[in-house]
Amino acid sequence: MIIKKRSSGILLHITSLPSPYGIGDLGPEAYRFADLLEEAGQRYWQILPLNPTEIGTGNSPYSSHSAFAGNPLLISPDLLVEDGLLIKKDIKPNTSFDDRKVEFEKVAEYKKQVLYKAYQKFKAGQGSQLNGAFIRFQEKHKAWLPDFARFVVFKHHFGQQAWTQWPAELKNREHEAVEELAAELAEEIEREIFLQFLFYHQWERLKTYCNSKGISFIGDMPFYVSHDSADVWSHPTIFKLDKKGMPTAVSGVPPDYFSETGQLWGTPVFNWKVLQEDDFSWWIQRIAHNLELFGLLRLDHFRAFSAYWQVAAGEETAIHGKWVKTPGAELLSLVKEKFPEMPIIAEDLGEIDQPVRDLMAQFDLPGMRVLLFAFGEDLPNSLYAPHNHSQNAIVYTGTHDNSTTRAWFEQDASKEDRKRLSDYSAQQLTKENVHEAMNRLAYMSVSQLTVIPMQDILGLGKEAIMNKPSTSNGNWLWRLEPGMFTKPVAHKLRKEVQLYGRL
């Protein structure tokens, strides 16, 4: 069992932190949040993927052009000043930002100017104490970093066209052509590498600070990668592509209770036969990279490590797909050799069959128990109901893909669901107190770890929903406003986790 002691944590993505720059970042407010987590007796800070996001894909952290790179939008301007790369005047925004939501387009424009200025000043000799660390960073990440930087710069060079639209010799990565264009665009490529260095430099500092306070990060790793990504361009053989580089098959999930046509995600699926031939080196490298960043790693869409839903390219819905087995046990065995502790959480929500459960049991991986799913007609037998929880599981009130507890109670739950929850918690519940009751049910669970979204700690409503799955607009925007998470809130939380043996 990877969680050795009863403990608790809070789910809050970095982008949702307060900051004067339009988006949460790795700067002062992240450290302040860590201080409050410590005061609240929390041992874990769960976040969403840290990979770069794009406006074109709805700013989703689950849809990135790199499985390895960090998101430059999370770089803190304040820490660039601390490192001597910029002065206060350089980071003053010439626009005002909304404290309640991320304005991605405005933020991207502002951060681009600030980060490019930091690179120019670094080239001019400022922040010279970082020189050695910059060289070491490039050496450490040479397996993915040059390809990523080239991909981003080449894509900009070709007017943001997908890599499949580039000239054939670059699309096909002919060595001479790639080196020639890379030489021509050398400064832009170095700048992208420098931005990655800044991101990881700041991340390591924050992680070290949190660890010093007894707080570990729970990270999140998507299963698939975008077709128009550095990974697919640089490793085309590990995906099912045709001679033009286009997917022959794509990902999704079959029709279910939530959708008559299933969900068509459209990312290329992996060519597991090719991956097997070199002992899954790309996957091992990816998981190792993430385990270095986080104390625990949640594997999103874990069921695809057992079998995945494959849909022929060109289909308009996911209806006509088929299940294809994955050599997940073989891959996870290699991960276990490298990381005997296996600090991994399996995201096992949705339609899960026995082979998935068997795979989790084989590697002793904890799954997820979401309380919002517990209070339907099947409450007595529900896997999600507290009386059916197991020790080796992580309990959530909800996740980033759910309503907040209050919004669920107000809008989504039926009258019968609300009554069942009131009966179960032995009190009359209202929209004002339902989050407190639900949080207590999570804390009193026998499961070793409870993680509660920040929105449910504060009892926020529909305005604080992070993501509505299968909608492409208006997601990933919510931010914690300054002054919402305070010392009195932290102290109240500490009493609760102490009461239920999670301190």
Side-chain angles (χ1 to χ4, degrees):
M1 195 154 55
I2 55 171
I3 313 292
K4 305 298 182 199
K5 298 170 78 171
R6 277 179 70 78
S7 48
S8 63
I10 290 179
L11 168 59
L12 181 80
H13 192 37
I14 303 293
T15 59
S16 296
L17 287 163
S19 96
Y21 309 112
I23 190 170
D25 62 32
L26 301 171
E29 285 290 345
Y31 289 79
R32 184 176 170 276
F33 187 72
D35 292 342
L36 285 169
L37 286 177
E38 183 189 32
E39 290 207 30
Q42 306 298 303
R43 289 213 190 91
Y44 291 93
W45 178 355
Q46 182 163 345
I47 58 173
L48 307 184
L50 292 172
N51 311 101
T53 56
E54 294 175 285
I55 288 161
T57 50
N59 308 299
S60 169
Y62 294 87
S63 179
S64 180
H65 54 271
S66 174
F68 293 87
N71 189 347
L73 296 183
L74 304 183
I75 296 170
S76 162
D78 293 311
L79 296 191
L80 298 179
V81 173
E82 264 185 44
D83 280 334
L85 287 166
L86 296 172
I87 57 173
K88 282 276 190 193
K89 193 178 81 171
D90 294 327
I91 65 170
K92 190 169 169 35
N94 57 8
T95 182
S96 60
F97 292 110
D98 192 332
D99 281 341
R100 293 161 302 171
K101 64 179 184 183
V102 181
E103 296 171 284
F104 280 100
E105 287 190 49
K106 279 169 76 173
V107 167
E109 194 51 46
Y110 161 75
K111 286 274 171 103
K112 183 178 166 183
Q113 291 169 8
V114 168
L115 296 174
Y116 284 13
K117 190 174 284 185
Y119 172 69
Q120 286 160 356
K121 293 200 172 187
F122 180 71
K123 289 293 281 180
Q126 288 182 226
S128 56
Q129 79 282 2
L130 298 172
N131 286 346
F134 183 41
I135 291 164
R136 289 191 296 277
F137 171 77
Q138 291 176 76
E139 179 58 30
K140 182 179 177 181
H141 296 283
K142 62 186 177 186
W144 64 269
L145 188 57
D147 279 328
F148 166 75
R150 288 173 175 192
F151 174 82
V152 171
V153 172
F154 288 5
K155 194 169 162 62
H156 180 71
H157 180 71
F158 292 116
Q160 298 302 330
Q161 284 185 313
W163 65 268
T164 49
Q165 304 298 310
W166 298 353
E169 63 276 14
L170 293 164
K171 178 175 92 170
N172 299 326
R173 292 174 58 82
E174 290 173 20
H175 182 74
E176 205 174 305
V178 170
E179 292 302 321
E180 196 178 312
L181 187 58
E184 188 186 318
L185 300 169
E187 186 167 339
E188 289 96 317
I189 288 169
E190 187 188 54
R191 184 177 63 205
E192 287 301 325
I193 289 171
F194 183 67
L195 298 192
Q196 286 303 306
F197 163 68
L198 292 178
F199 172 87
Y200 280 108
H201 178 62
Q202 292 191 359
W203 173 258
E204 284 302 324
R205 281 165 67 180
L206 178 62
K207 180 189 160 197
T208 302
Y209 183 79
C210 288
N211 291 170
S212 75
K213 293 182 164 288
I215 297 161
S216 291
F217 277 101
I218 303 176
D220 199 343
M221 194 181 92
F223 187 82
Y224 292 111
V225 298
S226 299
H227 175 240
D228 191 20
S229 65
D231 308 281
V232 181
W233 175 63
S234 56
H235 299 280
T237 59
I238 69 172
F239 299 91
K240 291 185 178 177
L241 308 176
D242 63 20
K243 285 177 183 171
K244 293 179 179 173
M246 298 302 289
T248 57
V250 296
S251 62
V253 286
D256 59 17
Y257 171 78
F258 298 103
S259 168
E260 289 177 14
T261 58
Q263 291 179 42
L264 190 64
W265 296 335
T267 58
V269 295
F270 292 99
N271 188 333
W272 288 101
K273 193 165 178 289
V274 170
L275 282 159
Q276 257 171 321
E277 285 165 7
D278 78 339
D279 293 328
F280 309 98
S281 65
W282 182 86
W283 265 100
I284 299 291
Q285 184 194 337
R286 185 188 185 196
I287 291 173
H289 176 79
N290 277 276
L291 286 176
E292 195 169 311
L293 299 180
F294 313 117
L296 285 174
L297 179 62
R298 187 188 96 126
L299 296 182
D300 191 45
H301 194 48
F302 182 82
R303 72 112 43 251
F305 285 95
S306 169
Y308 63 94
W309 189 250
Q310 176 175 294
V311 183
E315 288 283 336
E316 290 185 5
T317 71
I319 291 176
H320 302 299
K322 61 177 181 178
W323 287 110
V324 180
K325 283 192 173 161
T326 312
E330 203 180 319
L331 166 57
L332 291 169
S333 295
L334 292 171
V335 174
K336 192 168 177 64
E337 278 177 33
K338 199 171 169 68
F339 302 98
E341 288 275 300
M342 285 291 272
I344 286 169
I345 298 166
E347 185 272 292
D348 59 343
L349 307 175
E351 297 293 318
I352 300 298
D353 58 12
Q354 194 54 44
V356 181
R357 297 272 170 237
D358 293 344
L359 188 63
M360 290 171 64
Q362 184 180 340
F363 294 96
D364 197 29
L365 301 180
M368 296 172 63
R369 303 290 178 266
V370 177
L371 294 187
L372 288 185
F373 301 159
F375 298 98
E377 288 175 17
D378 65 339
L379 169 62
N381 302 312
S382 171
L383 184 72
Y384 301 108
H387 61 270
N388 291 323
H389 289 177
S390 61
Q391 255 193 310
N392 194 26
I394 321 293
V395 182
Y396 296 82
T397 49
T399 74
H400 63 275
D401 280 337
N402 302 124
S403 286
T404 66
T405 293
R406 179 172 179 151
W408 172 82
F409 191 81
E410 286 185 298
Q411 297 177 311
D412 307 330
S414 67
K415 187 179 172 186
E416 291 75 23
D417 294 342
R418 292 197 294 271
K419 182 169 188 326
R420 276 187 287 267
L421 176 55
S422 287
D423 290 347
Y424 195 90
S425 52
Q427 62 178 302
Q428 192 56 47
L429 296 177
T430 65
K431 63 185 181 183
E432 280 83 20
N433 70 4
V434 66
H435 68 285
E436 293 178 338
M438 196 75 102
N439 295 352
R440 276 197 299 275
L441 289 176
Y443 287 135
M444 69 173 66
S445 165
V446 71
S447 296
Q448 286 289 81
L449 175 57
T450 292
V451 177
I452 295 182
M454 192 71 231
Q455 294 95 316
D456 286 348
I457 299 288
L458 299 172
L460 303 178
K462 64 179 181 181
E463 76 286 351
I465 293 172
M466 190 64 166
N467 179 49
K468 292 177 181 168
S470 69
T471 63
S472 52
N473 295 320
N475 294 319
W476 318 110
L477 304 180
W478 177 75
R479 293 180 67 197
L480 183 64
E481 290 173 60
M484 272 186 162
F485 187 32
T486 58
K487 284 194 175 193
V489 173
H491 294 157
K492 184 182 174 191
L493 199 51
R494 187 183 185 91
K495 280 183 185 171
E496 283 210 343
V497 297
Q498 186 169 24
L499 189 62
Y500 295 110
R502 296 189 181 276
L503 197 58

